[in-house]
């Protein structure tokens, strides 16, 4: 029995060249330029037959990046967290809320016999 780790590293030039011979040939690629509102430039690569997106997330700041350097897309506005009450107030007016409250109170009074 031999000692040591079962996982061994390799050194450069110790065996078959790592690359195309082991993994196959890489698909032909094209590089596309994108710019974000912070003037960051990124250049991801896509396969020649792939559909290229109009927007790409900037790897430096996370803002959307577009293909037009002079007119990058604007940052998307994040909606703040809304409570359940805020959503209800969007759907109902104060008058509707008062009507619903009065109906609920009337039902409670009927059950208690008042």
């Amino acid at each position: 029995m031999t000692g040591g780790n079962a996982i061994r590293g390799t050194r450069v030039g110790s065996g078959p060249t790592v690359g195309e011979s082991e993994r196959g040939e890489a698909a032909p690629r094209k590089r596309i330029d994108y710019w974000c509102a912070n003037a960051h430039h990124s250049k991801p690569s896509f396969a020649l037959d792939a559909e290229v997106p109009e927007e790409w997330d900037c790897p430096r700041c996370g803002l959307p990046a577009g293909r037009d350097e002079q007119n990058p897309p604007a940052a998307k506005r994040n909606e703040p967290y809304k409570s359940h009450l805020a959503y209800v107030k969007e759907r109902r007016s104060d008058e509707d809320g008062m009507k619903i409250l009065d109906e609920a109170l009337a039902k409670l009074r009927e059950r208690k016999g008042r």
Side-chain angles (χ1 to χ4, degrees):
M1 188 160 166
T2 60
N5 283 335
I7 300 173
R8 296 182 187 192
T10 60
R11 63 180 175 81
V12 176
S14 66
T17 57
V18 178
E20 291 182 2
S21 64
E22 290 181 2
R23 291 178 271 162
E25 283 192 41
R29 303 244 170 223
K30 60 183 170 186
R31 295 182 66 86
I32 306 295
D33 295 307
Y34 289 94
W35 290 270
C36 72
N38 290 335
H40 297 142
H41 177 235
S42 58
K43 203 169 183 176
S45 63
F46 299 92
L48 287 178
D49 59 349
E51 185 177 329
V52 177
E54 287 299 316
E55 288 189 2
W56 190 259
D57 289 339
C58 177
R60 288 184 62 190
C61 65
L63 290 176
R67 295 169 64 182
D68 183 5
E69 182 178 8
Q70 303 304 318
N71 191 18
K76 293 183 173 68
R77 184 171 173 248
N78 289 338
E79 291 292 325
Y81 172 77
K82 289 185 183 179
S83 67
H84 176 71
L85 181 60
Y87 284 109
V88 170
K89 286 184 175 183
E90 284 180 1
R91 293 190 315 260
R92 303 203 190 272
S93 67
D94 288 341
E95 295 83 28
D96 289 341
M98 290 306 293
K99 286 179 191 174
I100 293 170
L101 179 62
D102 290 340
E103 289 173 11
L105 288 173
K107 286 181 184 178
L108 282 173
R109 290 182 184 121
E110 281 180 25
R111 278 197 279 173
K112 293 205 174 209
R114 293 185 179 176

